Amino acid sequence: MGKLSKPKKLTAIQQLHALRRDYGFGITKLFGINQITWQGELKSSPIGDNYLVKVVYKLNNAPQIYVLEPKVLKLPNDKQKLEHVYDNKKQKLCLYYPKAKEWDESKTIASTIFPWIIEWLYHYEIWLITGKWEGGGIHPDSIKSNDK
Amino acid sequence: MLSTSEKTEIEDILETLGENLSITESQHDAAVRSYKAVGNWLTSDDSELKPYKPEVSPQGSFIIGTIIQTVDPDGDIDLDIVCELNGKKESWTQKDIKQIVGDQLRNHKKYESILDKEGRRCWTLRYRENGQQNERYHMDILPAINTNGYSVIREKVFSNLSNQSIQALELSITDNERLPEYNISTNPDNWYKSNPFGYAKWFMEIAESIKGQRTKMFSLNESVNPTPKFQKERFPLQRIVQLLKRHRDIMFKDYSENDKKEKPISCIITTLAAKSYNGEDNLIDGLTNIVRGMKNNILNRINPKTNISEKWVANPVNPNENFADRWALPDSKREKFFYDWLERLEQDFRILEIPHSRILLSESLQKTFGNQPVQKTFSDIGNKMKILTESGKNHVDRNNGLIGTAISGAITESKIQPHKFYGETE
C-alpha cells in the first residue's frame, strides 16, 4: 500500500502567479525567492466601498493582511476596537483559525485568503451599520475557556 | 444607472425590509384568534343576531397581504372585519342593525375588549386578549347583509374567492350619513353596496400579473380561509404597498394629532399603487414606476352640483365611489398632505436609481423607514451571508466583492472556502 503523500507546499512564485492571474488589478512583487507582497483595491460588494489592502507572505509564515486605506477604519458608536483583527492600529486582519488549517501552504492565497478578505470587508460594513458582527467566527478567549 | 449586481443587492435589502415590516406569524395567529372570538360573541345563544347566522371575516390589508407593523411598538394593529348577516327581521332598519351589532359587542366581557366608538359604517373595537403587547387590535367591524340569497362569506369567500365574479361579492351596508335612509329603510336592496372582497380580488389579480413569471408567492384563497395560515412570501406589488405605507407612517409620525387624521389613507395608497403597477418583476423598477405614476392616476372631475373641479380616486369595484371625497371638505388638508407625501416619496426613493454605498443607503433607509427594521434588515442579510459561507455556497466577484449565490458564471467569480474569522474582540 503506498503512503498517501502530503499535499505539496507551494512556492512563493507559484503564489505570485495565482495572484497575478486572479487579482492582477493589484500590484504583486517578489522579494528574493521566498517573499511576495500584493497591494491593491478590493471592494466589499457591488454596492460596498473600496479598500486599499496589502498582503505580505513569507514562506513558512502565515500570510499577513493589512487594510491601508481608510487609514483609520470607522467604528460603530459604541465600540472601541475592530472585530477579528490581530492588531487594531495596524488594521491587521484575522481571517481564519490557524489550528483548523483552514489555510495551509498547499493552498493558493488567491483562492482562499483573498475571498475571506472581501468577506471581512463586507461584514465590517454590516457591523458599522448594525453594531453586530454577523460573519461568525471565534475568539481566542472563548477557545481557551473551552479547551479545559 | 444601476448595474445588475448592484440592483440584485439593493433588491435583497428592500425585500428583507418588507419582511421585517410585515406582522409576524405570532401576530397573525393572534389576529385570527381575536376576530374568531368576536365572531363567536355575535353568534352566541343570547345574541339577537343568532337566527341570522352572522359570518365574520377579515377584509382589507389583512387579506391582501399588505398589513404592516405599527411605528409605535406598543401600537394597535388595525384589523378590518366584516360581519355578514344572512337575513334580518323585516322591521329592522339600518340603524337597528347597527345598534344591535353594537350592543352585542358592548355586552361582551369588558376585560377582553372595549367598544371604542361608532363610526359612519363601522364599530371600532379595541381588542385586548390578555393585554399582550403586539397582540392588541384596533378592529373596525362592518355590519353587512347579503341580498342575493347566499352568504357571500361562507359560500363565495371561504370557497375559492379567486373564481368568483366581482359582482357576486357585493354586500349591503349601513351608513349613518345616508339620511333619512339610515333611520327608516328596511330593504337592504336599496342600501349602499360595498364590495371589500371584490376589491381584494381586483388587487390580487394585478399583483399576480407579473410580466413573464408564474411563481405563486401569496394566495388570496388561503388568506380568506376561515383559519388562514401565515404566509411569508409576497408579490412585488404587495411589498411595494407595504413600503409605501411605512413611508407614510414615518413621514407623518410627528405631525400633530389633528393633522395625522388627514394623512394619506391606506386605501388610496393601495389603489393608486395598483393602478400604476405595470407587472414589474422586481421592487426597484416597481417602486420607481409607481412613485412616478401615482399622481397620474388621480383624476380631475367637475362636480355637477358645484361646478368645481375635484380630485377623484375611483373605487375600482364601484366607480361611483370616490375614495378621495374628503379632500374637498372645507379646510381639509388632505389634498395638500397627499401631494406633499408624493413629493417626499420621489425624493426619498431617488436613492434607488443611482449607485450609493451600502453605508449611505442604510442611513437613508433608516431615515425613511425607521432605525429598528432597517438595522435588523442588514443584520439578517449579514447572517444569511454567514450561513452561505458555512454551507459552501458563498461567492465573490473578485472585481466587485461579495455576491452570495447570485453568480453569473463570469470568469471573475470565486467560491469562498469554509473558514472562521478569528482574532481579538473588544
Side-chain angles (χ1 to χ4, degrees), chain A residues 22 25 43-47 49 83-84 94-96 102 116 119 123 125 134 137-140, chain B residues 9 357-358 375 379 381-382 386 389 398-402 417 419-425:
Chain A
D22 288 349
F25 49 84
K43 201 166 181 213
S44 61
S45 83
I47 63 166
D49 294 335
E83 285 277 345
H84 297 291
C94 186
L95 303 171
Y96 66 96
E102 284 155 350
W116 297 342
E119 206 189 351
H123 281 292
E125 289 177 9
E134 296 287 355
I138 44 185
H139 296 116
Chain B
E9 246 198 303
S357 78
R358 187 191 348 277
Q375 286 187 8
S379 258
I381 293 176
K386 177 190 80 168
T389 294
R398 300 190 291 274
N399 295 332
N400 236 348
L402 199 68
Q417 301 303 317
H419 73 120
K420 287 213 182 310
F421 293 106
Y422 187 53
E424 296 295 332
T425 183

mmCIF file of all heavy atoms in Angstrom, chain A residues 22 25 43-47 49 83-84 94-96 102 116 119 123 125 134 137-140, chain B residues 9 357-358 375 379 381-382 386 389 398-402 417 419-425:
data_model
loop_
_atom_site.group_PDB
_atom_site.id
_atom_site.type_symbol
_atom_site.label_atom_id
_atom_site.label_comp_id
_atom_site.label_asym_id
_atom_site.label_seq_id
_atom_site.Cartn_x
_atom_site.Cartn_y
_atom_site.Cartn_z
ATOM 1 N N ASP A 22 -5.441 36.037 -10.792
ATOM 2 C CA ASP A 22 -6.774 36.315 -10.255
ATOM 3 C C ASP A 22 -6.965 37.746 -9.765
ATOM 4 O O ASP A 22 -8.071 38.268 -9.772
ATOM 5 C CB ASP A 22 -7.081 35.368 -9.082
ATOM 6 C CG ASP A 22 -7.334 33.940 -9.547
ATOM 7 O OD1 ASP A 22 -7.483 33.745 -10.766
ATOM 8 O OD2 ASP A 22 -7.376 33.040 -8.690
ATOM 9 N N PHE A 25 -5.346 43.168 -10.974
ATOM 10 C CA PHE A 25 -5.572 44.612 -10.906
ATOM 11 C C PHE A 25 -4.795 45.248 -9.764
ATOM 12 O O PHE A 25 -4.733 46.456 -9.644
ATOM 13 C CB PHE A 25 -7.071 44.944 -10.777
ATOM 14 C CG PHE A 25 -7.799 44.175 -9.704
ATOM 15 C CD1 PHE A 25 -7.775 44.614 -8.377
ATOM 16 C CD2 PHE A 25 -8.528 43.031 -10.017
ATOM 17 C CE1 PHE A 25 -8.460 43.905 -7.387
ATOM 18 C CE2 PHE A 25 -9.217 42.333 -9.034
ATOM 19 C CZ PHE A 25 -9.185 42.766 -7.715
ATOM 20 N N LYS A 43 -13.105 45.519 -3.216
ATOM 21 C CA LYS A 43 -14.435 46.056 -2.958
ATOM 22 C C LYS A 43 -15.200 45.033 -2.116
ATOM 23 O O LYS A 43 -15.100 43.833 -2.348
ATOM 24 C CB LYS A 43 -15.128 46.244 -4.305
ATOM 25 C CG LYS A 43 -16.255 47.217 -4.289
ATOM 26 C CD LYS A 43 -16.660 47.616 -5.695
ATOM 27 C CE LYS A 43 -17.795 48.625 -5.579
ATOM 28 N NZ LYS A 43 -18.741 48.520 -6.672
ATOM 29 N N SER A 44 -15.992 45.524 -1.181
ATOM 30 C CA SER A 44 -16.687 44.580 -0.296
ATOM 31 C C SER A 44 -17.837 43.883 -1.013
ATOM 32 O O SER A 44 -18.124 42.711 -0.759
ATOM 33 C CB SER A 44 -17.201 45.308 0.938
ATOM 34 O OG SER A 44 -18.121 46.321 0.540
ATOM 35 N N SER A 45 -18.541 44.607 -1.865
ATOM 36 C CA SER A 45 -19.679 44.035 -2.597
ATOM 37 C C SER A 45 -20.085 45.067 -3.642
ATOM 38 O O SER A 45 -19.619 46.208 -3.581
ATOM 39 C CB SER A 45 -20.846 43.732 -1.656
ATOM 40 O OG SER A 45 -21.610 44.887 -1.427
ATOM 41 N N PRO A 46 -20.940 44.711 -4.594
ATOM 42 C CA PRO A 46 -21.322 45.664 -5.637
ATOM 43 C C PRO A 46 -21.767 47.035 -5.124
ATOM 44 O O PRO A 46 -21.433 48.049 -5.736
ATOM 45 C CB PRO A 46 -22.462 44.950 -6.372
ATOM 46 C CG PRO A 46 -22.132 43.505 -6.230
ATOM 47 C CD PRO A 46 -21.521 43.355 -4.870
ATOM 48 N N ILE A 47 -22.482 47.104 -4.007
ATOM 49 C CA ILE A 47 -22.842 48.439 -3.507
ATOM 50 C C ILE A 47 -21.979 48.849 -2.319
ATOM 51 O O ILE A 47 -22.292 49.779 -1.586
ATOM 52 C CB ILE A 47 -24.343 48.577 -3.123
ATOM 53 C CG1 ILE A 47 -24.696 47.642 -1.964
ATOM 54 C CG2 ILE A 47 -25.237 48.340 -4.320
ATOM 55 C CD1 ILE A 47 -26.052 47.977 -1.336
ATOM 56 N N ASP A 49 -18.017 49.621 -0.373
ATOM 57 C CA ASP A 49 -16.917 50.563 -0.558
ATOM 58 C C ASP A 49 -15.634 49.858 -0.997
ATOM 59 O O ASP A 49 -15.528 48.638 -0.917
ATOM 60 C CB ASP A 49 -16.650 51.310 0.758
ATOM 61 C CG ASP A 49 -17.819 52.202 1.144
ATOM 62 O OD1 ASP A 49 -18.578 52.612 0.245
ATOM 63 O OD2 ASP A 49 -17.976 52.470 2.349
ATOM 64 N N GLU A 83 -13.331 44.316 15.008
ATOM 65 C CA GLU A 83 -13.566 42.888 15.227
ATOM 66 C C GLU A 83 -12.611 42.048 14.389
ATOM 67 O O GLU A 83 -12.303 42.417 13.251
ATOM 68 C CB GLU A 83 -14.996 42.523 14.798
ATOM 69 C CG GLU A 83 -16.065 42.966 15.758
ATOM 70 C CD GLU A 83 -16.268 42.005 16.910
ATOM 71 O OE1 GLU A 83 -15.781 40.865 16.824
ATOM 72 O OE2 GLU A 83 -16.895 42.414 17.896
ATOM 73 N N HIS A 84 -12.192 40.946 14.925
ATOM 74 C CA HIS A 84 -11.414 39.954 14.147
ATOM 75 C C HIS A 84 -10.191 40.556 13.478
ATOM 76 O O HIS A 84 -10.002 40.478 12.265
ATOM 77 C CB HIS A 84 -12.332 39.248 13.137
ATOM 78 C CG HIS A 84 -13.410 38.465 13.830
ATOM 79 N ND1 HIS A 84 -13.145 37.339 14.562
ATOM 80 C CD2 HIS A 84 -14.743 38.696 13.932
ATOM 81 C CE1 HIS A 84 -14.277 36.881 15.093
ATOM 82 N NE2 HIS A 84 -15.257 37.686 14.728
ATOM 83 N N CYS A 94 -7.696 39.155 10.792
ATOM 84 C CA CYS A 94 -7.561 37.778 11.212
ATOM 85 C C CYS A 94 -8.681 36.966 10.591
ATOM 86 O O CYS A 94 -9.835 37.051 11.004
ATOM 87 C CB CYS A 94 -7.638 37.715 12.722
ATOM 88 S SG CYS A 94 -7.301 36.084 13.242
ATOM 89 N N LEU A 95 -8.329 36.174 9.589
ATOM 90 C CA LEU A 95 -9.368 35.633 8.730
ATOM 91 C C LEU A 95 -9.668 34.157 8.903
ATOM 92 O O LEU A 95 -10.609 33.646 8.327
ATOM 93 C CB LEU A 95 -8.975 35.881 7.258
ATOM 94 C CG LEU A 95 -8.723 37.351 6.923
ATOM 95 C CD1 LEU A 95 -8.142 37.476 5.529
ATOM 96 C CD2 LEU A 95 -10.013 38.143 7.029
ATOM 97 N N TYR A 96 -8.818 33.461 9.617
ATOM 98 C CA TYR A 96 -9.064 32.025 9.766
ATOM 99 C C TYR A 96 -8.448 31.551 11.055
ATOM 100 O O TYR A 96 -7.604 32.211 11.653
ATOM 101 C CB TYR A 96 -8.505 31.243 8.577
ATOM 102 C CG TYR A 96 -6.998 31.292 8.470
ATOM 103 C CD1 TYR A 96 -6.202 30.276 8.992
ATOM 104 C CD2 TYR A 96 -6.376 32.373 7.850
ATOM 105 C CE1 TYR A 96 -4.815 30.331 8.903
ATOM 106 C CE2 TYR A 96 -4.995 32.441 7.763
ATOM 107 C CZ TYR A 96 -4.227 31.418 8.294
ATOM 108 O OH TYR A 96 -2.866 31.485 8.206
ATOM 109 N N GLU A 102 -7.446 26.038 8.088
ATOM 110 C CA GLU A 102 -8.339 26.428 7.008
ATOM 111 C C GLU A 102 -7.519 26.939 5.832
ATOM 112 O O GLU A 102 -7.918 26.853 4.684
ATOM 113 C CB GLU A 102 -9.329 27.490 7.512
ATOM 114 C CG GLU A 102 -10.421 26.859 8.377
ATOM 115 C CD GLU A 102 -11.039 27.824 9.373
ATOM 116 O OE1 GLU A 102 -10.519 28.942 9.559
ATOM 117 O OE2 GLU A 102 -12.068 27.451 9.988
ATOM 118 N N TRP A 116 -11.733 35.688 1.620
ATOM 119 C CA TRP A 116 -12.009 35.946 3.031
ATOM 120 C C TRP A 116 -11.800 37.423 3.358
ATOM 121 O O TRP A 116 -12.503 37.971 4.222
ATOM 122 C CB TRP A 116 -11.106 35.086 3.927
ATOM 123 C CG TRP A 116 -11.327 33.615 3.785
ATOM 124 C CD1 TRP A 116 -12.417 32.985 3.244
ATOM 125 C CD2 TRP A 116 -10.430 32.579 4.174
ATOM 126 N NE1 TRP A 116 -12.246 31.616 3.270
ATOM 127 C CE2 TRP A 116 -11.045 31.340 3.843
ATOM 128 C CE3 TRP A 116 -9.170 32.554 4.790
ATOM 129 C CZ2 TRP A 116 -10.431 30.102 4.087
ATOM 130 C CZ3 TRP A 116 -8.567 31.337 5.034
ATOM 131 C CH2 TRP A 116 -9.199 30.124 4.679
ATOM 132 N N GLU A 119 -14.832 39.127 2.239
ATOM 133 C CA GLU A 119 -15.921 38.809 3.164
ATOM 134 C C GLU A 119 -15.770 39.604 4.469
ATOM 135 O O GLU A 119 -16.761 40.095 5.020
ATOM 136 C CB GLU A 119 -15.906 37.307 3.463
ATOM 137 C CG GLU A 119 -17.243 36.749 3.849
ATOM 138 C CD GLU A 119 -17.149 35.314 4.347
ATOM 139 O OE1 GLU A 119 -16.078 34.700 4.235
ATOM 140 O OE2 GLU A 119 -18.165 34.835 4.875
ATOM 141 N N HIS A 123 -18.573 42.183 6.051
ATOM 142 C CA HIS A 123 -19.150 42.094 7.396
ATOM 143 C C HIS A 123 -18.750 43.291 8.243
ATOM 144 O O HIS A 123 -19.506 43.693 9.141
ATOM 145 C CB HIS A 123 -18.748 40.767 8.065
ATOM 146 C CG HIS A 123 -19.565 39.622 7.572
ATOM 147 N ND1 HIS A 123 -20.911 39.500 7.840
ATOM 148 C CD2 HIS A 123 -19.234 38.562 6.793
ATOM 149 C CE1 HIS A 123 -21.380 38.410 7.254
ATOM 150 N NE2 HIS A 123 -20.387 37.826 6.614
ATOM 151 N N GLU A 125 -18.724 46.302 7.096
ATOM 152 C CA GLU A 125 -19.728 47.318 6.785
ATOM 153 C C GLU A 125 -21.056 47.036 7.484
ATOM 154 O O GLU A 125 -21.726 47.948 7.964
ATOM 155 C CB GLU A 125 -19.911 47.430 5.274
ATOM 156 C CG GLU A 125 -18.702 48.078 4.603
ATOM 157 C CD GLU A 125 -18.807 48.136 3.090
ATOM 158 O OE1 GLU A 125 -19.885 47.824 2.537
ATOM 159 O OE2 GLU A 125 -17.801 48.496 2.452
ATOM 160 N N GLU A 134 -21.949 39.961 12.004
ATOM 161 C CA GLU A 134 -22.797 38.831 11.621
ATOM 162 C C GLU A 134 -22.010 37.759 10.879
ATOM 163 O O GLU A 134 -22.594 36.802 10.379
ATOM 164 C CB GLU A 134 -23.961 39.331 10.732
ATOM 165 C CG GLU A 134 -24.909 40.283 11.449
ATOM 166 C CD GLU A 134 -25.804 39.571 12.460
ATOM 167 O OE1 GLU A 134 -25.772 38.325 12.542
ATOM 168 O OE2 GLU A 134 -26.542 40.285 13.175
ATOM 169 N N GLY A 137 -17.449 33.423 13.489
ATOM 170 C CA GLY A 137 -16.039 33.423 13.852
ATOM 171 C C GLY A 137 -15.866 33.085 15.306
ATOM 172 O O GLY A 137 -16.824 32.934 16.051
ATOM 173 N N ILE A 138 -14.603 32.951 15.688
ATOM 174 C CA ILE A 138 -14.324 32.593 17.083
ATOM 175 C C ILE A 138 -13.273 33.533 17.654
ATOM 176 O O ILE A 138 -12.533 34.181 16.922
ATOM 177 C CB ILE A 138 -13.836 31.142 17.197
ATOM 178 C CG1 ILE A 138 -12.815 30.842 16.096
ATOM 179 C CG2 ILE A 138 -14.994 30.183 17.119
ATOM 180 C CD1 ILE A 138 -12.385 29.401 16.081
ATOM 181 N N HIS A 139 -13.240 33.605 18.954
ATOM 182 C CA HIS A 139 -12.298 34.490 19.630
ATOM 183 C C HIS A 139 -11.371 33.681 20.516
ATOM 184 O O HIS A 139 -11.792 32.697 21.115
ATOM 185 C CB HIS A 139 -13.058 35.517 20.458
ATOM 186 C CG HIS A 139 -13.882 36.420 19.609
ATOM 187 N ND1 HIS A 139 -15.256 36.467 19.684
ATOM 188 C CD2 HIS A 139 -13.525 37.289 18.641
ATOM 189 C CE1 HIS A 139 -15.696 37.338 18.791
ATOM 190 N NE2 HIS A 139 -14.667 37.849 18.154
ATOM 191 N N PRO A 140 -10.118 34.119 20.599
ATOM 192 C CA PRO A 140 -9.133 33.366 21.388
ATOM 193 C C PRO A 140 -9.595 33.081 22.810
ATOM 194 O O PRO A 140 -9.421 31.987 23.314
ATOM 195 C CB PRO A 140 -7.909 34.276 21.405
ATOM 196 C CG PRO A 140 -8.069 35.137 20.217
ATOM 197 C CD PRO A 140 -9.530 35.263 19.948
ATOM 198 N N GLU B 9 -28.352 43.384 -5.221
ATOM 199 C CA GLU B 9 -28.082 43.637 -3.793
ATOM 200 C C GLU B 9 -29.140 44.525 -3.166
ATOM 201 O O GLU B 9 -29.630 44.276 -2.070
ATOM 202 C CB GLU B 9 -26.720 44.322 -3.645
ATOM 203 C CG GLU B 9 -25.720 43.462 -2.926
ATOM 204 C CD GLU B 9 -24.539 44.225 -2.376
ATOM 205 O OE1 GLU B 9 -23.858 44.903 -3.170
ATOM 206 O OE2 GLU B 9 -24.307 44.124 -1.168
ATOM 207 N N SER B 357 -23.262 53.878 -1.742
ATOM 208 C CA SER B 357 -22.604 52.895 -0.893
ATOM 209 C C SER B 357 -23.633 52.328 0.081
ATOM 210 O O SER B 357 -24.618 52.971 0.426
ATOM 211 C CB SER B 357 -21.465 53.532 -0.117
ATOM 212 O OG SER B 357 -21.984 54.263 0.970
ATOM 213 N N ARG B 358 -23.369 51.127 0.544
ATOM 214 C CA ARG B 358 -24.264 50.481 1.484
ATOM 215 C C ARG B 358 -24.446 51.328 2.740
ATOM 216 O O ARG B 358 -25.563 51.439 3.263
ATOM 217 C CB ARG B 358 -23.713 49.103 1.880
ATOM 218 C CG ARG B 358 -24.690 48.308 2.744
ATOM 219 C CD ARG B 358 -24.106 47.066 3.378
ATOM 220 N NE ARG B 358 -22.838 46.715 2.844
ATOM 221 C CZ ARG B 358 -22.651 46.027 1.735
ATOM 222 N NH1 ARG B 358 -23.695 45.582 1.062
ATOM 223 N NH2 ARG B 358 -21.442 45.783 1.292
ATOM 224 N N GLN B 375 -32.005 48.321 10.542
ATOM 225 C CA GLN B 375 -30.827 47.654 11.108
ATOM 226 C C GLN B 375 -31.023 46.158 11.152
ATOM 227 O O GLN B 375 -30.111 45.373 10.840
ATOM 228 C CB GLN B 375 -30.537 48.197 12.503
ATOM 229 C CG GLN B 375 -29.938 49.588 12.441
ATOM 230 C CD GLN B 375 -29.489 50.102 13.784
ATOM 231 O OE1 GLN B 375 -29.479 49.363 14.760
ATOM 232 N NE2 GLN B 375 -29.113 51.351 13.828
ATOM 233 N N SER B 379 -28.682 43.208 9.443
ATOM 234 C CA SER B 379 -28.258 42.078 10.278
ATOM 235 C C SER B 379 -28.683 40.759 9.655
ATOM 236 O O SER B 379 -27.907 39.808 9.565
ATOM 237 C CB SER B 379 -28.940 42.142 11.644
ATOM 238 O OG SER B 379 -28.086 42.626 12.596
ATOM 239 N N ILE B 381 -29.385 40.074 6.578
ATOM 240 C CA ILE B 381 -28.674 39.780 5.339
ATOM 241 C C ILE B 381 -27.257 39.321 5.653
ATOM 242 O O ILE B 381 -26.738 38.377 5.044
ATOM 243 C CB ILE B 381 -28.677 41.012 4.407
ATOM 244 C CG1 ILE B 381 -30.109 41.290 3.932
ATOM 245 C CG2 ILE B 381 -27.774 40.784 3.208
ATOM 246 C CD1 ILE B 381 -30.251 42.531 3.079
ATOM 247 N N GLY B 382 -26.594 39.982 6.612
ATOM 248 C CA GLY B 382 -25.254 39.567 7.028
ATOM 249 C C GLY B 382 -25.275 38.130 7.515
ATOM 250 O O GLY B 382 -24.399 37.314 7.184
ATOM 251 N N LYS B 386 -23.308 34.688 6.191
ATOM 252 C CA LYS B 386 -22.501 33.782 7.020
ATOM 253 C C LYS B 386 -22.927 32.341 6.785
ATOM 254 O O LYS B 386 -22.104 31.439 6.612
ATOM 255 C CB LYS B 386 -22.673 34.141 8.491
ATOM 256 C CG LYS B 386 -21.925 33.191 9.420
ATOM 257 C CD LYS B 386 -22.290 33.394 10.856
ATOM 258 C CE LYS B 386 -23.603 32.711 11.185
ATOM 259 N NZ LYS B 386 -23.876 32.640 12.618
ATOM 260 N N THR B 389 -21.643 30.993 3.553
ATOM 261 C CA THR B 389 -20.237 30.603 3.616
ATOM 262 C C THR B 389 -20.094 29.267 4.320
ATOM 263 O O THR B 389 -19.369 28.383 3.865
ATOM 264 C CB THR B 389 -19.408 31.668 4.354
ATOM 265 O OG1 THR B 389 -19.413 32.859 3.584
ATOM 266 C CG2 THR B 389 -17.970 31.211 4.544
ATOM 267 N N ARG B 398 -14.300 38.829 -7.949
ATOM 268 C CA ARG B 398 -13.038 39.386 -7.461
ATOM 269 C C ARG B 398 -12.930 40.891 -7.700
ATOM 270 O O ARG B 398 -12.280 41.603 -6.933
ATOM 271 C CB ARG B 398 -11.867 38.641 -8.101
ATOM 272 C CG ARG B 398 -11.901 37.144 -7.766
ATOM 273 C CD ARG B 398 -10.646 36.430 -8.173
ATOM 274 N NE ARG B 398 -10.490 36.325 -9.620
ATOM 275 C CZ ARG B 398 -11.013 35.357 -10.368
ATOM 276 N NH1 ARG B 398 -11.752 34.408 -9.808
ATOM 277 N NH2 ARG B 398 -10.804 35.334 -11.662
ATOM 278 N N ASN B 399 -13.596 41.375 -8.738
ATOM 279 C CA ASN B 399 -13.570 42.818 -9.024
ATOM 280 C C ASN B 399 -14.622 43.597 -8.253
ATOM 281 O O ASN B 399 -14.544 44.806 -8.131
ATOM 282 C CB ASN B 399 -13.852 43.063 -10.515
ATOM 283 C CG ASN B 399 -12.768 42.491 -11.385
ATOM 284 O OD1 ASN B 399 -11.622 42.392 -10.961
ATOM 285 N ND2 ASN B 399 -13.128 42.115 -12.593
ATOM 286 N N ASN B 400 -15.643 42.879 -7.778
ATOM 287 C CA ASN B 400 -16.851 43.557 -7.339
ATOM 288 C C ASN B 400 -17.262 43.243 -5.912
ATOM 289 O O ASN B 400 -18.162 43.862 -5.372
ATOM 290 C CB ASN B 400 -18.001 43.128 -8.266
ATOM 291 C CG ASN B 400 -18.651 44.318 -8.900
ATOM 292 O OD1 ASN B 400 -18.416 45.453 -8.508
ATOM 293 N ND2 ASN B 400 -19.509 44.035 -9.867
ATOM 294 N N GLY B 401 -16.652 42.205 -5.343
ATOM 295 C CA GLY B 401 -16.967 41.880 -3.960
ATOM 296 C C GLY B 401 -17.941 40.726 -3.796
ATOM 297 O O GLY B 401 -18.250 39.993 -4.728
ATOM 298 N N LEU B 402 -18.473 40.648 -2.586
ATOM 299 C CA LEU B 402 -19.324 39.526 -2.181
ATOM 300 C C LEU B 402 -20.621 39.505 -2.988
ATOM 301 O O LEU B 402 -21.307 40.514 -3.092
ATOM 302 C CB LEU B 402 -19.647 39.686 -0.698
ATOM 303 C CG LEU B 402 -20.124 38.457 0.050
ATOM 304 C CD1 LEU B 402 -18.993 37.465 0.153
ATOM 305 C CD2 LEU B 402 -20.595 38.833 1.437
ATOM 306 N N GLN B 417 -14.057 29.635 0.421
ATOM 307 C CA GLN B 417 -13.806 28.381 1.128
ATOM 308 C C GLN B 417 -14.251 28.507 2.579
ATOM 309 O O GLN B 417 -14.183 29.592 3.162
ATOM 310 C CB GLN B 417 -12.302 28.050 1.075
ATOM 311 C CG GLN B 417 -11.757 27.913 -0.351
ATOM 312 C CD GLN B 417 -12.505 26.878 -1.137
ATOM 313 O OE1 GLN B 417 -12.812 25.797 -0.627
ATOM 314 N NE2 GLN B 417 -12.821 27.188 -2.388
ATOM 315 N N HIS B 419 -14.365 28.761 6.454
ATOM 316 C CA HIS B 419 -13.364 29.278 7.396
ATOM 317 C C HIS B 419 -14.095 29.952 8.542
ATOM 318 O O HIS B 419 -15.308 30.182 8.460
ATOM 319 C CB HIS B 419 -12.458 30.307 6.707
ATOM 320 C CG HIS B 419 -13.174 31.615 6.469
ATOM 321 N ND1 HIS B 419 -12.739 32.806 7.013
ATOM 322 C CD2 HIS B 419 -14.295 31.914 5.780
ATOM 323 C CE1 HIS B 419 -13.562 33.781 6.654
ATOM 324 N NE2 HIS B 419 -14.523 33.272 5.907
ATOM 325 N N LYS B 420 -13.340 30.293 9.586
ATOM 326 C CA LYS B 420 -13.939 31.087 10.660
ATOM 327 C C LYS B 420 -13.061 32.309 10.903
ATOM 328 O O LYS B 420 -11.845 32.177 11.019
ATOM 329 C CB LYS B 420 -13.994 30.250 11.942
ATOM 330 C CG LYS B 420 -15.066 29.166 11.884
ATOM 331 C CD LYS B 420 -15.663 28.921 13.254
ATOM 332 C CE LYS B 420 -16.702 27.829 13.286
ATOM 333 N NZ LYS B 420 -17.736 27.998 12.228
ATOM 334 N N PHE B 421 -13.653 33.460 10.982
ATOM 335 C CA PHE B 421 -12.888 34.636 11.383
ATOM 336 C C PHE B 421 -12.366 34.387 12.788
ATOM 337 O O PHE B 421 -13.002 33.718 13.594
ATOM 338 C CB PHE B 421 -13.766 35.889 11.383
ATOM 339 C CG PHE B 421 -14.208 36.290 10.010
ATOM 340 C CD1 PHE B 421 -15.516 36.073 9.607
ATOM 341 C CD2 PHE B 421 -13.313 36.859 9.114
ATOM 342 C CE1 PHE B 421 -15.936 36.436 8.337
ATOM 343 C CE2 PHE B 421 -13.724 37.215 7.841
ATOM 344 C CZ PHE B 421 -15.034 36.999 7.452
ATOM 345 N N TYR B 422 -11.203 34.911 13.055
ATOM 346 C CA TYR B 422 -10.581 34.645 14.352
ATOM 347 C C TYR B 422 -10.132 35.982 14.923
ATOM 348 O O TYR B 422 -10.613 37.036 14.512
ATOM 349 C CB TYR B 422 -9.431 33.659 14.125
ATOM 350 C CG TYR B 422 -8.771 33.138 15.383
ATOM 351 C CD1 TYR B 422 -9.520 32.564 16.409
ATOM 352 C CD2 TYR B 422 -7.390 33.224 15.543
ATOM 353 C CE1 TYR B 422 -8.904 32.086 17.558
ATOM 354 C CE2 TYR B 422 -6.775 32.747 16.678
ATOM 355 C CZ TYR B 422 -7.529 32.189 17.686
ATOM 356 O OH TYR B 422 -6.910 31.723 18.814
ATOM 357 N N GLY B 423 -9.276 35.971 15.893
ATOM 358 C CA GLY B 423 -8.699 37.233 16.377
ATOM 359 C C GLY B 423 -9.454 37.831 17.536
ATOM 360 O O GLY B 423 -10.467 37.307 17.998
ATOM 361 N N GLU B 424 -8.946 38.922 18.019
ATOM 362 C CA GLU B 424 -9.461 39.568 19.222
ATOM 363 C C GLU B 424 -10.815 40.192 19.012
ATOM 364 O O GLU B 424 -11.219 40.480 17.894
ATOM 365 C CB GLU B 424 -8.500 40.687 19.642
ATOM 366 C CG GLU B 424 -7.128 40.204 20.055
ATOM 367 C CD GLU B 424 -7.176 39.355 21.304
ATOM 368 O OE1 GLU B 424 -8.099 39.567 22.120
ATOM 369 O OE2 GLU B 424 -6.332 38.474 21.452
ATOM 370 N N THR B 425 -11.435 40.438 20.136
ATOM 371 C CA THR B 425 -12.613 41.293 20.070
ATOM 372 C C THR B 425 -12.521 42.260 21.221
ATOM 373 O O THR B 425 -11.640 42.125 22.048
ATOM 374 C CB THR B 425 -13.915 40.482 20.181
ATOM 375 O OG1 THR B 425 -15.014 41.369 20.044
ATOM 376 C CG2 THR B 425 -14.013 39.802 21.529
#
